[in-house]
Coordinates of all heavy atoms in Angstrom, one line a residue:
E10 N 0.8 -1.1 0.0 CA 0.0 -0.1 0.0 C 0.9 1.3 0.0 O 0.6 2.2 -0.7 CB -0.9 0.0 1.1 CG -1.9 1.1 1.1 CD -3.0 1.0 2.3 OE1 -3.5 0.0 2.4 OE2 -3.2 2.1 2.9
A11 N 2.0 1.2 0.7 CA 2.8 2.4 0.7 C 3.5 2.6 -0.6 O 3.8 3.8 -1.0 CB 4.0 2.2 1.8
L12 N 3.9 1.5 -1.2 CA 4.3 1.5 -2.6 C 3.3 2.2 -3.5 O 3.7 3.0 -4.4 CB 4.8 0.2 -3.0 CG 5.7 0.1 -4.3 CD1 6.9 0.8 -4.3 CD2 6.1 -1.4 -4.5
A13 N 2.1 1.9 -3.4 CA 1.1 2.3 -4.4 C 0.9 3.8 -4.1 O 0.8 4.7 -5.0 CB -0.2 1.6 -4.1
A14 N 0.9 4.3 -2.9 CA 0.8 5.7 -2.4 C 1.9 6.5 -3.0 O 2.0 7.6 -3.6 CB 0.7 5.9 -0.9
M15 N 3.2 5.9 -2.8 CA 4.4 6.6 -3.3 C 4.3 6.7 -5.0 O 4.7 7.8 -5.5 CB 5.7 5.8 -3.0 CG 7.0 6.5 -3.3 SD 8.5 5.7 -2.9 CE 8.3 4.5 -1.8
H16 N 3.9 5.6 -5.5 CA 3.7 5.7 -7.0 C 2.6 6.7 -7.5 O 2.9 7.5 -8.4 CB 3.3 4.2 -7.5 CG 3.1 4.1 -9.0 ND1 2.0 4.4 -9.6 CD2 4.1 3.9 -10.0 CE1 2.1 4.2 -10.9 NE2 3.4 4.1 -11.2
A17 N 1.7 6.8 -6.7 CA 0.5 7.9 -7.0 C 1.2 9.3 -6.9 O 0.9 10.2 -7.7 CB -0.7 7.6 -6.0
R18 N 2.0 9.5 -5.9 CA 2.6 10.8 -5.7 C 3.6 11.1 -6.7 O 3.6 12.2 -7.4 CB 3.4 10.8 -4.4 CG 2.5 11.1 -3.1 CD 3.2 11.6 -1.9 NE 4.2 10.6 -1.6 CZ 4.1 9.5 -0.8 NH1 2.9 9.2 -0.3 NH2 5.2 8.7 -0.5
L19 N 4.4 10.1 -7.3 CA 5.3 10.3 -8.3 C 4.5 10.6 -9.6 O 4.9 11.5 -10.4 CB 6.2 9.1 -8.5 CG 7.2 8.7 -7.3 CD1 7.9 7.5 -7.6 CD2 8.2 10.0 -7.4
V20 N 3.5 10.0 -9.9 CA 2.6 10.1 -11.0 C 2.0 11.6 -11.0 O 2.1 12.4 -12.1 CB 1.6 9.0 -11.1 CG1 0.5 9.5 -12.3 CG2 2.2 7.7 -11.6
Q21 N 1.5 12.0 -9.8 CA 0.9 13.4 -9.7 C 2.1 14.4 -9.9 O 1.8 15.3 -10.6 CB 0.3 13.6 -8.3 CG -0.3 14.8 -8.0 CD -1.4 15.1 -8.9 OE1 -2.1 14.1 -9.5 NE2 -1.8 16.4 -9.1
Q22 N 3.3 14.1 -9.3 CA 4.3 15.1 -9.5 C 4.8 15.4 -11.0 O 5.0 16.3 -11.4 CB 5.5 14.7 -8.6 CG 5.4 15.0 -7.2 CD 6.4 14.5 -6.2 OE1 7.4 13.7 -6.8 NE2 6.4 14.7 -5.0
E23 N 4.8 14.1 -11.6 CA 5.1 14.1 -13.1 C 4.1 14.7 -13.9 O 4.5 15.7 -14.7 CB 5.4 12.6 -13.6 CG 5.8 12.6 -15.1 CD 6.1 11.2 -15.4 OE1 5.8 10.2 -14.7 OE2 6.5 11.0 -16.6
K24 N 2.8 14.6 -13.5 CA 1.7 15.3 -14.2 C 2.0 16.8 -14.0 O 1.7 17.7 -15.1 CB 0.5 14.7 -13.7 CG -0.9 15.5 -14.4 CD -2.0 15.0 -13.8 CE -3.2 15.7 -14.4 NZ -4.5 15.4 -13.6
Q25 N 2.2 17.2 -12.8 CA 2.4 18.7 -12.5 C 3.5 19.3 -13.2 O 3.5 20.4 -13.7 CB 2.4 18.9 -10.9 CG 1.1 18.7 -10.2 CD 1.4 18.7 -8.7 OE1 2.4 18.6 -8.2 NE2 0.3 18.7 -7.9
A26 N 4.6 18.5 -13.3 CA 5.8 18.9 -14.0 C 5.5 19.1 -15.5 O 6.0 20.1 -16.1 CB 6.9 17.9 -13.8
H27 N 4.8 18.2 -16.0 CA 4.5 18.3 -17.4 C 3.5 19.5 -17.7 O 3.6 20.3 -18.8 CB 3.7 17.1 -18.0 CG 4.7 15.9 -18.2 ND1 5.6 16.0 -19.2 CD2 4.7 14.8 -17.7 CE1 6.4 14.9 -19.2 NE2 5.8 14.0 -18.3
E28 N 2.5 19.8 -16.8 CA 1.6 21.0 -16.9 C 2.5 22.4 -16.8 O 2.2 23.2 -17.6 CB 0.6 21.0 -15.9 CG -0.4 19.8 -16.1 CD -1.4 19.7 -14.9 OE1 -1.1 20.2 -13.8 OE2 -2.4 18.8 -15.1
A29 N 3.4 22.3 -15.8 CA 4.2 23.5 -15.7 C 5.1 23.7 -16.9 O 5.3 24.9 -17.4 CB 5.1 23.4 -14.5
D30 N 5.7 22.6 -17.5 CA 6.5 22.8 -18.7 C 5.5 23.3 -19.9 O 6.1 24.0 -20.7 CB 7.0 21.3 -19.2 CG 7.9 21.4 -20.3 OD1 8.9 22.3 -20.2 OD2 7.9 20.6 -21.1
A31 N 4.3 22.8 -19.9 CA 3.4 23.2 -21.1 C 3.2 24.7 -20.9 O 3.1 25.5 -21.9 CB 2.1 22.3 -21.0
R32 N 2.9 25.1 -19.7 CA 2.7 26.6 -19.4 C 3.9 27.5 -19.8 O 3.8 28.6 -20.3 CB 2.2 26.9 -17.8 CG 0.8 26.5 -17.6 CD 0.5 27.1 -16.3 NE 1.4 26.7 -15.1 CZ 1.2 25.5 -14.4 NH1 0.2 24.5 -14.7 NH2 2.2 25.1 -13.5
H33 N 5.1 26.9 -19.3 CA 6.3 27.6 -19.8 C 6.6 27.7 -21.2 O 6.9 28.9 -21.7 CB 7.5 26.9 -19.0 CG 8.8 27.7 -19.2 ND1 9.8 27.2 -20.0 CD2 9.2 28.9 -18.7 CE1 10.7 28.0 -19.9 NE2 10.5 29.0 -19.2
T34 N 6.2 26.6 -21.9 CA 6.4 26.6 -23.4 C 5.4 27.6 -24.0 O 5.8 28.4 -24.9 CB 6.1 25.3 -23.9 OG1 7.1 24.3 -23.4 CG2 6.2 25.3 -25.5
Q35 N 4.2 27.7 -23.5 CA 3.3 28.6 -24.1 C 3.7 30.1 -23.8 O 3.4 31.0 -24.6 CB 1.8 28.4 -23.3 CG 0.8 29.3 -23.9 CD 0.5 29.3 -25.4 OE1 0.5 28.1 -26.0 NE2 0.3 30.4 -26.1
Q36 N 4.3 30.4 -22.6 CA 4.7 31.7 -22.3 C 5.8 32.0 -23.1 O 5.8 33.1 -23.7 CB 5.1 31.8 -20.9 CG 4.1 31.8 -19.8 CD 4.6 31.5 -18.4 OE1 5.7 31.3 -18.1 NE2 3.6 31.9 -17.4
L37 N 6.7 31.1 -23.5 CA 7.8 31.4 -24.4 C 7.2 31.8 -25.8 O 7.8 32.6 -26.5 CB 8.7 30.3 -24.5 CG 9.7 30.1 -23.3 CD1 10.5 28.8 -23.4 CD2 10.5 31.3 -23.1
E38 N 6.3 30.9 -26.3 CA 5.8 31.2 -27.7 C 5.1 32.6 -27.7 O 5.1 33.3 -28.7 CB 4.7 30.1 -28.0 CG 5.4 28.7 -28.2 CD 6.5 28.8 -29.3 OE1 6.2 29.4 -30.4 OE2 7.6 28.2 -29.2
T39 N 4.4 33.0 -26.7 CA 3.7 34.3 -26.6 C 4.8 35.3 -26.7 O 4.7 36.4 -27.4 CB 3.0 34.4 -25.3 OG1 1.8 33.4 -25.3 CG2 2.2 35.8 -25.3
M40 N 5.9 35.2 -25.9 CA 7.0 36.1 -25.9 C 7.7 36.2 -27.2 O 8.0 37.4 -27.8 CB 8.0 35.8 -24.8 CG 7.5 36.0 -23.3 SD 8.5 35.4 -22.1 CE 10.1 36.3 -22.4
R41 N 7.9 35.0 -28.0 CA 8.5 35.0 -29.2 C 7.7 35.8 -30.2 O 8.1 36.6 -31.0 CB 8.7 33.6 -29.7 CG 9.9 33.0 -29.0 CD 10.2 31.6 -29.8 NE 11.2 30.8 -29.0 CZ 10.9 29.8 -28.5 NH1 9.7 29.1 -28.4 NH2 12.0 29.1 -27.7
A42 N 6.3 35.6 -30.3 CA 5.4 36.3 -31.1 C 5.5 37.8 -30.9 O 5.6 38.6 -31.8 CB 3.9 35.8 -30.9
G43 N 5.5 38.2 -29.6 CA 5.7 39.6 -29.2 C 7.0 40.3 -29.7 O 7.0 41.3 -30.3
V44 N 8.0 39.5 -29.6 CA 9.3 39.9 -30.1 C 9.3 40.1 -31.6 O 9.8 41.0 -32.2 CB 10.5 39.1 -29.6 CG1 11.8 39.4 -30.4 CG2 10.6 39.2 -28.1
A45 N 8.8 39.2 -32.3 CA 8.8 39.1 -33.7 C 7.8 40.3 -34.3 O 8.3 41.0 -35.2 CB 8.1 37.8 -34.3
A46 N 6.7 40.7 -33.6 CA 5.9 41.7 -34.0 C 6.6 43.1 -33.8 O 6.6 43.8 -34.7 CB 4.6 41.7 -33.2
R47 N 7.4 43.2 -32.7 CA 8.2 44.3 -32.3 C 9.3 44.5 -33.4 O 9.5 45.7 -33.9 CB 8.7 44.3 -30.9 CG 9.5 45.6 -30.5 CD 8.4 46.8 -30.4 NE 9.2 47.9 -29.9 CZ 9.0 49.1 -30.2 NH1 8.0 49.4 -31.0 NH2 9.6 50.2 -29.8
N48 N 10.0 43.5 -33.8 CA 11.0 43.6 -34.8 C 10.5 44.0 -36.1 O 11.1 44.8 -36.8 CB 11.7 42.1 -34.9 CG 12.6 41.9 -33.7 OD1 13.1 42.7 -33.0 ND2 13.0 40.6 -33.7
A49 N 9.2 43.5 -36.4 CA 8.7 43.9 -37.7 C 8.4 45.4 -37.7 O 8.6 46.1 -38.6 CB 7.5 43.1 -38.0
E50 N 7.8 45.8 -36.5 CA 7.5 47.4 -36.4 C 8.9 48.2 -36.5 O 8.8 49.2 -37.1 CB 6.9 47.6 -35.1 CG 6.4 48.9 -34.9 CD 5.8 49.2 -33.4 OE1 5.4 48.1 -32.8 OE2 5.8 50.3 -33.0
L51 N 9.9 47.7 -35.8 CA 11.1 48.4 -35.9 C 11.8 48.4 -37.3 O 12.3 49.4 -37.7 CB 12.1 47.8 -34.9 CG 11.7 48.1 -33.4 CD1 12.7 47.3 -32.5 CD2 11.8 49.5 -33.1
D52 N 11.7 47.4 -37.9 CA 12.1 47.2 -39.3 C 11.3 48.2 -40.2 O 12.0 48.8 -41.1 CB 11.9 45.7 -39.9 CG 12.6 45.5 -41.2 OD1 13.9 45.9 -41.4 OD2 11.9 45.3 -42.2
S53 N 10.0 48.3 -40.0 CA 9.2 49.2 -40.9 C 9.7 50.7 -40.6 O 9.9 51.4 -41.5 CB 7.7 48.9 -40.6 OG 7.0 50.0 -41.2
L54 N 10.0 50.9 -39.4 CA 10.4 52.3 -39.0 C 11.7 52.6 -39.5 O 12.0 53.7 -40.1 CB 10.5 52.5 -37.5 CG 9.1 52.5 -36.9 CD1 9.4 52.5 -35.2 CD2 8.4 53.8 -37.1
L55 N 12.6 51.7 -39.5 CA 13.9 51.8 -40.1 C 13.9 52.1 -41.5 O 14.6 52.9 -42.2 CB 14.7 50.5 -39.9 CG 16.2 50.6 -40.3 CD1 17.1 51.7 -39.9 CD2 16.9 49.2 -40.1
Q56 N 13.0 51.2 -42.3 CA 12.9 51.4 -43.8 C 12.4 52.9 -44.1 O 12.9 53.5 -45.0 CB 12.0 50.3 -44.4 CG 12.5 48.9 -44.3 CD 13.9 48.7 -45.0 OE1 14.1 49.4 -45.9 NE2 14.8 48.1 -44.3
G57 N 11.4 53.3 -43.2 CA 10.9 54.6 -43.4 C 12.1 55.7 -43.3 O 12.2 56.7 -44.1
V58 N 12.9 55.5 -42.3 CA 14.0 56.4 -42.0 C 15.0 56.4 -43.1 O 15.5 57.5 -43.6 CB 14.8 56.2 -40.7 CG1 16.1 56.9 -40.6 CG2 13.8 56.4 -39.5
L59 N 15.3 55.3 -43.8 CA 16.2 55.1 -44.8 C 15.7 55.8 -46.1 O 16.4 56.5 -46.8 CB 16.6 53.6 -45.1 CG 17.4 52.9 -44.0 CD1 17.5 51.4 -44.3 CD2 18.7 53.6 -43.8
R60 N 14.4 55.6 -46.3 CA 13.6 56.2 -47.4 C 13.8 57.7 -47.5 O 14.2 58.4 -48.3 CB 12.4 55.8 -47.6 CG 12.1 54.5 -48.3 CD 10.6 54.3 -48.7 NE 9.7 54.2 -47.6 CZ 9.5 53.2 -46.7 NH1 10.1 52.1 -47.0 NH2 8.7 53.4 -45.7
T61 N 13.6 58.3 -46.2 CA 13.5 59.7 -46.0 C 15.1 60.2 -46.1 O 15.3 61.2 -46.8 CB 13.2 60.1 -44.4 OG1 11.8 59.6 -44.4 CG2 13.1 61.5 -44.2
S62 N 16.0 59.4 -45.7 CA 17.4 59.8 -45.7 C 17.8 59.8 -47.3 O 18.5 60.8 -47.7 CB 18.3 58.9 -45.1 OG 19.7 59.1 -45.2
D63 N 17.5 58.9 -48.0 CA 17.7 58.9 -49.4 C 17.1 60.1 -50.1 O 17.6 60.7 -51.0 CB 17.1 57.6 -50.2 CG 18.0 56.4 -49.8 OD1 19.2 56.6 -49.3 OD2 17.6 55.3 -50.0
Q64 N 15.9 60.4 -49.8 CA 15.1 61.6 -50.4 C 15.9 62.9 -50.1 O 16.0 63.8 -50.9 CB 13.7 61.7 -49.9 CG 12.8 60.5 -50.4 CD 11.4 60.5 -49.6 OE1 11.2 61.2 -48.7 NE2 10.5 59.6 -50.2
E65 N 16.3 63.0 -48.8 CA 17.1 64.2 -48.4 C 18.3 64.3 -49.0 O 18.7 65.3 -49.4 CB 17.3 64.1 -46.9 CG 16.0 64.5 -46.1 CD 16.2 64.4 -44.7 OE1 17.3 63.9 -44.1 OE2 15.1 64.6 -43.9
K66 N 19.1 63.1 -49.2 CA 20.4 63.0 -50.0 C 20.1 63.6 -51.5 O 20.9 64.4 -51.9 CB 20.9 61.7 -50.0 CG 22.1 61.6 -50.7 CD 22.6 60.1 -50.7 CE 23.9 60.0 -51.6 NZ 24.4 58.5 -51.7
T67 N 19.1 63.0 -52.0 CA 18.7 63.5 -53.4 C 18.5 64.9 -53.5 O 19.1 65.8 -54.4 CB 17.5 62.8 -53.9 OG1 17.8 61.3 -53.9 CG2 17.1 63.2 -55.4
L68 N 17.8 65.5 -52.6 CA 17.4 67.0 -52.6 C 18.7 67.8 -52.3 O 19.0 68.8 -53.1 CB 16.4 67.3 -51.4 CG 16.0 68.8 -51.3 CD1 15.4 69.3 -52.4 CD2 15.2 68.9 -50.0
L69 N 19.6 67.4 -51.5 CA 20.8 68.1 -51.2 C 21.7 67.9 -52.4 O 22.4 68.9 -52.7 CB 21.5 67.5 -50.0 CG 20.9 67.8 -48.7 CD1 21.8 67.1 -47.6 CD2 20.9 69.3 -48.4
E70 N 21.8 66.8 -53.1 CA 22.6 66.7 -54.3 C 22.1 67.8 -55.5 O 22.9 68.5 -56.0 CB 22.5 65.3 -54.8 CG 23.3 64.4 -54.1 CD 23.3 62.9 -54.5 OE1 22.3 62.6 -55.2 OE2 24.0 62.1 -53.9
K71 N 20.8 67.8 -55.6 CA 20.2 68.8 -56.5 C 20.6 70.3 -56.1 O 20.9 71.0 -56.9 CB 18.6 68.6 -56.5 CG 18.2 67.5 -57.3 CD 16.7 67.3 -57.4 CE 16.2 66.1 -58.0 NZ 14.7 65.9 -58.0
R72 N 20.4 70.6 -54.9 CA 20.8 71.9 -54.3 C 22.2 72.2 -54.7 O 22.6 73.3 -55.0 CB 20.5 72.1 -52.8 CG 18.9 72.1 -52.7 CD 18.5 72.1 -51.2 NE 18.9 73.5 -50.6 CZ 18.7 73.8 -49.4 NH1 18.2 72.8 -48.5 NH2 18.9 74.9 -48.9
L73 N 23.1 71.2 -54.3 CA 24.5 71.4 -54.6 C 24.8 71.7 -56.1 O 25.6 72.5 -56.5 CB 25.4 70.1 -54.2 CG 26.8 70.1 -54.4 CD1 27.5 71.4 -53.7 CD2 27.4 68.7 -54.1
Q74 N 24.2 70.9 -57.0 CA 24.4 71.0 -58.4 C 23.9 72.4 -58.8 O 24.5 73.1 -59.6 CB 23.5 70.0 -59.2 CG 24.0 68.5 -59.1 CD 23.2 67.6 -59.6 OE1 22.0 67.8 -60.1 NE2 23.7 66.3 -59.6
E75 N 22.7 72.9 -58.3 CA 22.3 74.3 -58.6 C 23.3 75.3 -58.0 O 23.6 76.3 -58.8 CB 20.9 74.5 -58.0 CG 20.5 75.9 -58.3 CD 20.1 76.3 -59.7 OE1 20.3 75.3 -60.7 OE2 19.7 77.4 -60.0
A76 N 23.9 75.2 -56.9 CA 24.7 76.1 -56.4 C 26.0 76.0 -57.3 O 26.6 77.1 -57.5 CB 25.1 75.7 -54.9
E77 N 26.5 74.9 -57.6 CA 27.7 74.9 -58.5 C 27.3 75.6 -59.9 O 28.2 76.2 -60.3 CB 28.1 73.4 -58.7 CG 28.7 72.7 -57.4 CD 28.9 71.2 -57.6 OE1 28.3 70.7 -58.6 OE2 29.7 70.7 -56.8
R78 N 26.3 75.3 -60.4 CA 25.8 76.0 -61.6 C 25.8 77.4 -61.5 O 26.5 78.3 -62.4 CB 24.4 75.5 -62.0 CG 24.1 76.0 -63.4 CD 22.6 75.7 -63.7 NE 21.7 76.5 -63.0 CZ 21.4 77.7 -63.3 NH1 21.9 78.4 -64.2 NH2 20.5 78.4 -62.5
L79 N 25.2 78.0 -60.3 CA 25.3 79.5 -60.1 C 26.7 80.0 -60.0 O 27.0 81.0 -60.4 CB 24.3 79.7 -59.0 CG 22.9 79.4 -59.2 CD1 22.2 79.7 -57.9 CD2 22.3 80.5 -60.4
L80 N 27.5 79.2 -59.3 CA 29.0 79.6 -59.1 C 29.7 79.7 -60.5 O 30.3 80.8 -60.8 CB 29.7 78.5 -58.2 CG 31.1 78.9 -57.9 CD1 31.3 80.3 -57.2 CD2 31.8 77.8 -57.0
V81 N 29.5 78.8 -61.3 CA 30.1 78.8 -62.6 C 29.6 80.0 -63.4 O 30.4 80.7 -64.0 CB 29.9 77.4 -63.4 CG1 30.2 77.6 -64.8 CG2 30.6 76.3 -62.7
L82 N 28.3 80.2 -63.3 CA 27.8 81.3 -64.0 C 28.3 82.6 -63.4 O 28.6 83.5 -64.3 CB 26.1 81.4 -63.8 CG 25.4 82.5 -64.5 CD1 25.5 82.5 -66.0 CD2 23.9 82.4 -64.0
A83 N 28.4 82.8 -62.1 CA 28.9 84.0 -61.5 C 30.4 84.1 -61.9 O 30.8 85.4 -62.2 CB 28.8 83.9 -60.0
L84 N 31.2 83.0 -62.1 CA 32.6 83.2 -62.5 C 32.7 83.6 -63.9 O 33.7 84.2 -64.3 CB 33.4 81.8 -62.2 CG 33.5 81.6 -60.7 CD1 34.1 80.2 -60.5 CD2 34.3 82.6 -60.0
Q85 N 31.8 83.2 -64.7 CA 31.8 83.5 -66.2 C 31.1 85.0 -66.4 O 31.5 85.5 -67.5 CB 31.1 82.4 -67.0 CG 31.8 81.1 -66.9 CD 30.9 80.1 -67.6 OE1 29.8 80.2 -67.9 NE2 31.4 78.9 -67.7
T86 N 30.4 85.5 -65.6 CA 29.7 86.7 -65.7 C 30.8 87.9 -65.4 O 31.3 87.9 -64.4 CB 28.5 86.8 -64.9 OG1 27.6 85.8 -65.2 CG2 27.7 88.1 -65.1
P87 N 30.8 88.9 -66.3 CA 31.6 90.1 -66.0 C 31.2 90.7 -64.6 O 30.0 90.6 -64.4 CB 31.6 90.9 -67.3 CG 30.5 90.3 -68.1 CD 30.1 89.0 -67.6
P88 N 32.1 91.4 -64.1 CA 31.7 92.0 -62.9 C 30.5 93.1 -63.1 O 30.5 93.6 -64.0 CB 32.9 92.9 -62.3 CG 34.0 92.2 -63.1 CD 33.6 91.6 -64.3
S89 N 29.7 93.2 -62.1 CA 28.6 94.0 -62.2 C 29.0 95.5 -62.0 O 29.8 95.7 -61.2 CB 27.5 93.6 -61.1 OG 26.5 94.5 -61.1
P90 N 28.3 96.3 -62.7 CA 28.7 97.8 -62.5 C 28.2 98.2 -61.1 O 28.8 99.2 -60.6 CB 27.9 98.4 -63.5 CG 26.9 97.6 -64.0 CD 27.5 96.1 -63.7
H91 N 27.4 97.4 -60.4 CA 27.0 97.9 -59.1 C 27.8 97.3 -58.1 O 27.6 97.5 -56.9 CB 25.5 97.4 -58.9 CG 24.6 98.0 -60.0 ND1 24.1 99.1 -60.0 CD2 23.9 97.3 -61.1 CE1 23.4 99.4 -61.0 NE2 23.2 98.2 -61.7
G92 N 28.9 96.6 -58.3 CA 29.9 96.1 -57.3 C 29.8 94.6 -57.1 O 28.8 93.9 -57.7
E93 N 30.8 94.0 -56.6 CA 31.0 92.5 -56.4 C 29.8 91.8 -55.7 O 29.5 90.7 -56.1 CB 32.2 92.2 -55.6 CG 33.5 92.3 -56.3 CD 34.7 91.9 -55.4 OE1 34.4 91.0 -54.7 OE2 35.7 92.5 -55.5
N94 N 29.2 92.5 -54.8 CA 28.1 91.9 -54.0 C 26.7 92.0 -54.5 O 25.8 91.8 -53.8 CB 28.1 92.4 -52.5 CG 29.5 91.8 -51.9 OD1 30.0 90.8 -52.1 ND2 30.0 92.8 -50.9
S95 N 26.6 92.5 -55.7 CA 25.3 92.7 -56.3 C 24.7 91.4 -56.6 O 25.4 90.4 -56.8 CB 25.3 93.6 -57.5 OG 26.0 92.9 -58.6
I96 N 23.3 91.4 -56.7 CA 22.6 90.0 -57.1 C 22.8 89.7 -58.6 O 22.7 90.6 -59.4 CB 21.2 90.2 -56.8 CG1 21.0 90.5 -55.4 CG2 20.4 88.9 -57.2 CD1 19.5 91.0 -54.9
P97 N 23.3 88.5 -58.9 CA 23.6 88.2 -60.2 C 22.3 88.0 -61.1 O 21.1 87.8 -60.6 CB 24.2 86.7 -60.1 CG 23.9 86.2 -58.8 CD 23.6 87.3 -57.9
P98 N 22.4 88.2 -62.4 CA 21.1 88.2 -63.2 C 20.5 86.7 -63.1 O 21.2 85.7 -63.1 CB 21.7 88.4 -64.7 CG 23.0 88.9 -64.5 CD 23.6 88.6 -63.1
G99 N 19.2 86.7 -63.0 CA 18.5 85.4 -63.0 C 18.4 84.9 -61.6 O 17.7 83.9 -61.4
W100 N 19.1 85.4 -60.6 CA 18.9 84.9 -59.2 C 17.6 85.2 -58.7 O 17.0 86.2 -58.7 CB 19.9 85.7 -58.3 CG 19.8 85.3 -56.9 CD1 19.4 86.1 -55.9 CD2 20.3 84.1 -56.3 NE1 19.5 85.5 -54.7 CE2 19.9 84.2 -55.0 CE3 20.7 82.9 -56.8 CZ2 20.1 83.1 -54.1 CZ3 20.9 81.9 -55.9 CH2 20.7 82.1 -54.5
T101 N 16.9 84.1 -58.3 CA 15.4 84.2 -57.7 C 15.5 84.3 -56.2 O 14.5 84.4 -55.5 CB 14.7 83.0 -58.2 OG1 15.3 81.8 -57.6 CG2 14.6 82.8 -59.7
G102 N 16.6 84.1 -55.6 CA 16.6 84.1 -54.1 C 16.5 82.8 -53.4 O 16.8 82.6 -52.2
T103 N 16.3 81.7 -54.3 CA 16.2 80.4 -53.6 C 17.0 79.5 -54.5 O 17.1 79.5 -55.8 CB 14.9 79.9 -53.5 OG1 14.1 79.9 -54.7 CG2 14.0 80.7 -52.4
L104 N 17.5 78.2 -53.9 CA 18.1 77.3 -54.7 C 17.0 76.3 -55.2 O 16.0 76.2 -54.6 CB 19.1 76.5 -53.9 CG 20.3 77.4 -53.5 CD1 21.3 76.6 -52.5 CD2 21.1 77.8 -54.5
V105 N 17.3 75.6 -56.3 CA 16.3 74.6 -56.7 C 16.1 73.6 -55.5 O 17.0 73.1 -54.9 CB 16.9 73.9 -58.0 CG1 15.9 72.6 -58.3 CG2 17.0 74.8 -59.1
G106 N 14.8 73.3 -55.3 CA 14.6 72.3 -54.2 C 14.5 73.0 -52.8 O 14.2 72.3 -51.8
S107 N 14.9 74.2 -52.8 CA 14.9 74.9 -51.4 C 13.4 75.2 -51.0 O 12.7 75.6 -51.9 CB 15.7 76.2 -51.5 OG 15.5 76.9 -50.3
P108 N 13.2 75.1 -49.7 CA 11.8 75.4 -49.2 C 11.5 76.9 -49.3 O 10.3 77.3 -49.1 CB 11.8 74.8 -47.9 CG 13.1 74.7 -47.4 CD 14.0 74.5 -48.6
G109 N 12.5 77.6 -49.4 CA 12.3 79.1 -49.6 C 12.3 79.7 -48.1 O 12.8 79.1 -47.2
P110 N 11.8 80.9 -48.0 CA 11.9 81.6 -46.6 C 11.0 80.9 -45.6 O 10.1 80.1 -46.0 CB 11.4 83.0 -47.0 CG 10.6 82.9 -48.2 CD 11.2 81.7 -49.0
G111 N 11.3 81.2 -44.4 CA 10.5 80.5 -43.3 C 11.3 79.5 -42.5 O 12.4 79.2 -42.9
P112 N 10.8 78.9 -41.5 CA 11.5 77.9 -40.7 C 11.7 76.7 -41.6 O 11.0 76.3 -42.6 CB 10.5 77.6 -39.6 CG 9.1 78.1 -40.1 CD 9.4 79.1 -41.2
A113 N 12.8 76.1 -41.2 CA 13.2 74.8 -42.0 C 12.1 73.7 -41.6 O 11.6 73.7 -40.6 CB 14.6 74.4 -41.5
P114 N 12.0 72.8 -42.7 CA 11.0 71.7 -42.3 C 11.6 70.8 -41.4 O 12.8 70.5 -41.3 CB 10.9 71.0 -43.8 CG 12.2 71.5 -44.5 CD 12.5 72.8 -44.0
A115 N 10.6 70.1 -40.7 CA 11.1 69.3 -39.7 C 11.8 67.9 -40.2 O 11.4 67.7 -41.2 CB 9.9 68.8 -38.8

């Protein structure tokens, strides 16, 4: 009888251990799913930042090209009768792609 009681306790402990293991496995799967979702969200944010960075780089390259073009034009244009610091012909006050006057865009 004592052997049967001991066996019953061992079976019960084994059953409890399996149940605890199943709960732990479920918790791990839930955590993995949460981490995967967060990783996907962060990846999406990173892709957006990279796209914005590429757009800004393109805009800056266009502005640089325009500034270089204006410099070449200024170097080829004879001095103005109004002095060195006068506004060159055709100058609109903004570079190509420039947002113009006002606060810089965010």
Side-chain angles (χ1 to χ4, degrees):
E10 189 174 310
L12 190 55
M15 189 184 335
H16 181 265
R18 278 195 307 275
L19 287 174
V20 168
Q21 181 64 25
Q22 288 173 350
E23 185 177 359
K24 179 182 174 191
Q25 290 172 347
H27 283 296
E28 289 170 352
D30 186 46
R32 281 191 306 274
H33 184 249
T34 300
Q35 181 59 43
Q36 289 172 343
L37 287 175
E38 290 303 317
T39 301
M40 290 170 62
R41 282 187 188 119
V44 168
R47 184 67 176 148
N48 282 347
E50 180 182 344
L51 291 173
D52 187 56
S53 175
L54 290 171
L55 177 60
Q56 293 304 318
V58 167
L59 292 175
R60 276 192 302 276
T61 300
S62 178
D63 286 344
Q64 291 168 351
E65 289 176 353
K66 178 182 174 188
T67 301
L68 176 63
L69 289 173
E70 287 171 346
K71 287 179 182 178
R72 291 175 70 183
L73 175 62
Q74 290 170 357
E75 178 65 7
E77 289 172 342
R78 184 189 72 77
L79 290 173
L80 178 61
V81 168
L82 179 66
L84 292 173
Q85 294 173 351
T86 304
S89 170
H91 304 291
E93 280 184 38
N94 294 326
S95 64
I96 298 173
W100 174 251
T101 62
T103 59
L104 297 176
V105 170
S107 172

